[in-house]
Amino acid sequence: MPHDVAAPVRRLTTGNRELDEILDGGIPENSINIIMGTPGSGKTALAEEFIFANAVDERRPILYLTTLSEPLDKVIRYLQQFHFYDAAKLGSIVQYDSFGDTLAANGVGALVPRLKDAIKTLSPSVIVIDSFKAIHDLASSPQEIRLMLHELAGLFAAYSTTVLLVGEYRHEDIDKFPEFAVADGIIELARNSLGTRDERYVRVLKLRGSSYREGSHAFEITAAGLQVYPRLVSPVEAASYKRDVGRTPSGVPGLDSMLGGGFWGGSATLVAGPTGSGKTTMGIQFVLDGLRRGERCLLVNFQENPTQLAHQLEEIGGKLDDDTRGRLELLYYSAVELPIDRIVVSIFQALRRNRIRRLVIDALGDLAIAASDPTRMHGYVYALVQHFAVMGVSSILTLETDPPLMARDENQGRLSHMTDAIVFLDIRASEGVVARKIRIAKARGTAHDLQARPVTIDGRGLRVAETRE
C-alpha cells in the first residue's frame, strides 16, 4: 500500500547564507533546538541574528527570554552594536523579556505558567530562552527538570513554535541533561586556541529528519553577525559534469608545444619550483593570456597586495585598458591570521559573480601554513580542484619547493597527485652562471615533452627555449 508523501518541512533562515547551506536550508520550523558553547563563543549573537532575520510577521512576533545569566538591558545594549539590529522591530515584532526574577522567586515550576501566559498573549512564532542551562541551578532534582521539559515540549508543539534553547553546555552535558533528548536540533559553537590566535568553529551535532553538512566549519563574529565559512568538501555532482575538451593556452611562449597544444580546459596544473624560478610570473602570464582572449580571470595571492600584483601584471603585459582590467579580479589575504575556509567562500563568490574562466592560486605553501590542521590540506586541495573542474575553470596552483624534495616529502607528493598536470621550474647557479629550466612531469590525457628545456625571464615574462638540454 503506497505511503503518502509528507510535505517538506519549511526552513527558517539563520540570517547567514553559508550557515543555511550547512543546515540544508536553515532551521526546521516548529522544532526545538539547542545552541550550545562555551562563554564568548557567539551563542547569543547567533540567536539574535536568527530572530531579526525571521521578524517579518507582526501577527506572530518573536519572544526572546533571558533567565539568570545576564541582565536584560545589558543584552539589548550589546545587540544594538550589530548591523542586523533593527530598532523599528524592537518592542513590537521582536520582544525581549526577563524571567530571571520570576524564576529566582518561585523556582523552575514558574517557567511553564509564565510561558503559557506569554504564548496566549503574543502567539510568538519563535521563542528563545537564554540561558536555558542556568535553569538547572534552580531545580531541586533532575525529575523536576524532566517534568518541566515534558510540559514545555507539549506546549511548543501545540502552538507551532520554533524554539532555541541557548546555554553554556559542555560535551559531557549532552548525555546528562534531558533537553538534549527532547531537542530536534543541536548546534555547537566552539573556540580553539592555536598558538597566539583563536579559531571559532560551528558544528551541527543533530538535526532530526534532515541532512546537514558534517564537520567543523570556521566562523568569525563581526559587526554584521556571524561570518561562516563552510568546510570545503568535494562536490556531490562531480561525476555528472561535462568536461571542456578544448585547450587553454598557457601564455608562456614555447610551453604549449611541450603540452601538446596547451592545458585541457577546466584542468588544474601544479607549478612547483624554488624561489625565483618563475612560478608567479608564469601564473601572471596565464592570466594575461586569458584577459587578451576576453576571458574573466581571478588571481589569488597571499604575499603581495592587489596594488603590487596590478603593477606586476602591467610590467609583463603592458598597460591594461579599462575593459581588460574590468575582467580581472584580484584577491589578497595575509596567511598569518587566516581560516583557510574563508578563502574558499571568497573564491567561489568571485567565480559565481564574474563567471571566471581562469584562476591562479599563489601559493599552496601559504595555505598550508595557515591551515590549523596540516593533514587536512590533502582533502582541501582535492575538493578545491574538483569544484574548479565542475565549474569549468582552468587553474594554476603554485607551490614553492626544491624539486629533489618533491619525491621525499609525503604531503607535497600527495598534492601533486591531485592535479591534472605538473610543471617543474628550476633555477641553479654554477660557476657564476644562473640558469633556469622547465620540465613537464605530468599532463593527463595528452602526449607531452618530458625533456627539460632552458627558460629565460625578461621584461615580458617566461620564454621556453626550443633547444633541449
Side-chain angles (χ1 to χ4, degrees):
M1 190 174 174
H3 296 283
D4 293 336
V5 177
V9 175
R10 183 169 175 262
R11 306 279 181 155
L12 301 183
T13 179
T14 60
N16 180 283
R17 171 180 169 174
E18 284 73 28
L19 184 53
D20 288 348
E21 289 177 2
I22 293 170
L23 291 163
D24 198 25
I27 292 177
E29 190 177 41
N30 303 332
S31 62
I32 299 174
N33 305 275
I34 292 176
I35 299 177
M36 61 180 287
T38 54
S41 58
K43 304 180 299 297
T44 297
L46 172 57
E48 290 176 327
E49 191 170 1
F50 172 76
I51 64 172
F52 276 88
N54 291 281
V56 293
D57 187 351
E58 293 185 353
R59 297 167 301 178
R60 298 204 64 188
I62 290 173
L63 182 59
Y64 198 111
L65 303 173
T66 62
T67 57
L68 302 170
S69 54
E70 289 183 296
L72 182 57
D73 60 342
K74 187 176 179 181
V75 172
I76 294 177
R77 186 165 69 247
Y78 287 116
L79 161 68
Q80 294 171 338
Q81 309 307 310
F82 288 109
H83 295 168
F84 56 75
Y85 168 70
D86 186 348
K89 293 180 177 179
L90 192 63
S92 55
I93 197 168
V94 175
Q95 299 201 14
Y96 278 74
D97 198 359
S98 174
F99 279 15
D101 291 342
T102 300
L103 290 169
N106 302 299
V108 173
L111 181 62
V112 173
R114 277 291 305 267
L115 273 172
K116 281 184 178 177
D117 290 342
I119 288 174
K120 288 178 180 177
T121 304
L122 299 173
S123 187
S125 60
V126 173
I127 295 176
V128 178
I129 302 179
D130 184 6
S131 147
F132 192 81
K133 184 177 183 256
I135 294 174
H136 283 269
D137 297 336
L138 301 174
S140 58
S141 67
Q143 290 73 23
E144 186 179 17
I145 291 289
R146 288 185 182 278
L147 179 60
M148 180 266 290
L149 274 170
H150 176 74
E151 292 185 77
L152 276 183
L155 183 66
F156 295 146
Y159 286 92
S160 300
T161 303
T162 306
V163 178
L164 300 186
L165 305 179
V166 181
E168 295 173 359
Y169 296 102
R170 298 165 298 179
H171 269 275
E172 52 265 38
D173 295 332
I174 294 175
D175 295 327
K176 185 169 66 176
F177 291 146
E179 52 264 43
F180 286 94
V182 174
D184 301 298
I186 302 173
I187 299 173
E188 179 189 32
L189 303 180
R191 187 165 60 184
N192 298 331
S193 295
L194 297 168
T196 58
R197 64 181 168 127
D198 287 352
E199 285 192 354
R200 297 174 184 270
Y201 291 97
V202 57
R203 186 161 65 131
V204 181
L205 302 181
K206 176 182 180 183
L207 200 60
R208 187 172 282 161
S210 172
S211 62
Y212 56 89
R213 195 177 297 186
E214 302 268 7
S216 298
H217 309 275
F219 77 95
E220 297 173 306
I221 299 177
T222 70
L226 269 64
Q227 303 297 309
V228 182
Y229 311 113
R231 187 174 185 272
L232 182 65
V233 295
S234 298
V236 294
E237 68 269 26
S240 62
Y241 78 95
K242 183 178 180 181
R243 183 156 192 163
D244 182 355
V245 296
R247 296 283 188 163
T248 300
S250 65
V252 177
L255 179 56
D256 292 348
S257 63
M258 297 180 70
L259 290 161
F263 303 119
W264 285 114
S267 65
T269 300
L270 180 69
V271 177
T275 300
S277 59
K279 301 180 299 298
T280 299
T281 302
M282 183 174 165
I284 288 174
Q285 287 176 260
F286 181 66
V287 164
L288 284 169
D289 185 81
L291 294 174
R292 292 189 189 102
R293 296 171 188 275
E295 298 173 353
R296 296 180 181 274
C297 302
L298 173 62
L299 179 53
V300 185
N301 187 279
F302 306 109
Q303 294 182 354
E304 297 170 271
N305 67 39
T307 301
Q308 293 169 315
L309 280 175
H311 177 70
Q312 288 187 50
L313 280 158
E314 296 201 340
E315 281 288 313
I316 296 174
K319 185 72 175 177
L320 303 180
D321 59 35
D322 291 342
D323 177 62
T324 302
R325 195 179 295 109
R327 285 184 275 105
L328 172 64
E329 185 154 353
L330 302 173
L331 288 180
Y332 164 73
Y333 294 99
S334 167
V336 178
E337 301 281 345
L338 182 64
I340 59 174
D341 288 305
R342 176 181 171 188
I343 303 167
V344 173
V345 171
S346 297
I347 289 175
F348 288 145
Q349 286 175 346
L351 294 181
R352 286 190 292 263
R353 182 173 60 243
N354 292 328
R355 291 174 292 144
I356 302 292
R357 305 310 303 162
R358 298 194 192 201
L359 179 151
V360 172
I361 295 180
D362 186 22
L364 287 182
D366 295 314
L367 278 176
I369 292 171
S372 55
D373 179 9
T375 61
R376 197 190 148 207
M377 278 301 294
H378 175 266
Y380 179 89
V381 175
Y382 175 77
L384 202 58
V385 298
Q386 289 299 306
H387 279 281
F388 294 160
V390 170
M391 301 171 82
V393 177
S394 302
S395 58
I396 280 182
L397 317 174
T398 69
L399 178 66
E400 184 168 325
T401 180
D402 197 18
L405 294 177
M406 206 66 186
R408 299 204 300 266
D409 188 292
E410 182 181 351
N411 284 329
Q412 292 180 355
R414 294 178 72 191
L415 288 175
S416 68
H417 295 318
M418 291 177 282
T419 54
D420 300 290
I422 301 174
V423 176
F424 281 137
L425 292 169
D426 198 9
I427 180 170
R428 288 287 184 270
S430 177
E431 298 180 349
V433 178
V434 178
R436 292 185 172 89
K437 65 181 179 181
I438 190 169
R439 181 167 66 87
I440 310 299
K442 165 181 149 184
R444 283 185 185 137
T446 185
H448 53 281
D449 186 350
L450 290 170
Q451 197 70 33
R453 291 175 181 267
V455 291
T456 58
I457 299 180
D458 56 24
R460 301 181 64 182
L462 271 77
R463 180 178 297 274
V464 180
E466 294 183 358
T467 56
R468 298 183 178 182
E469 284 200 328

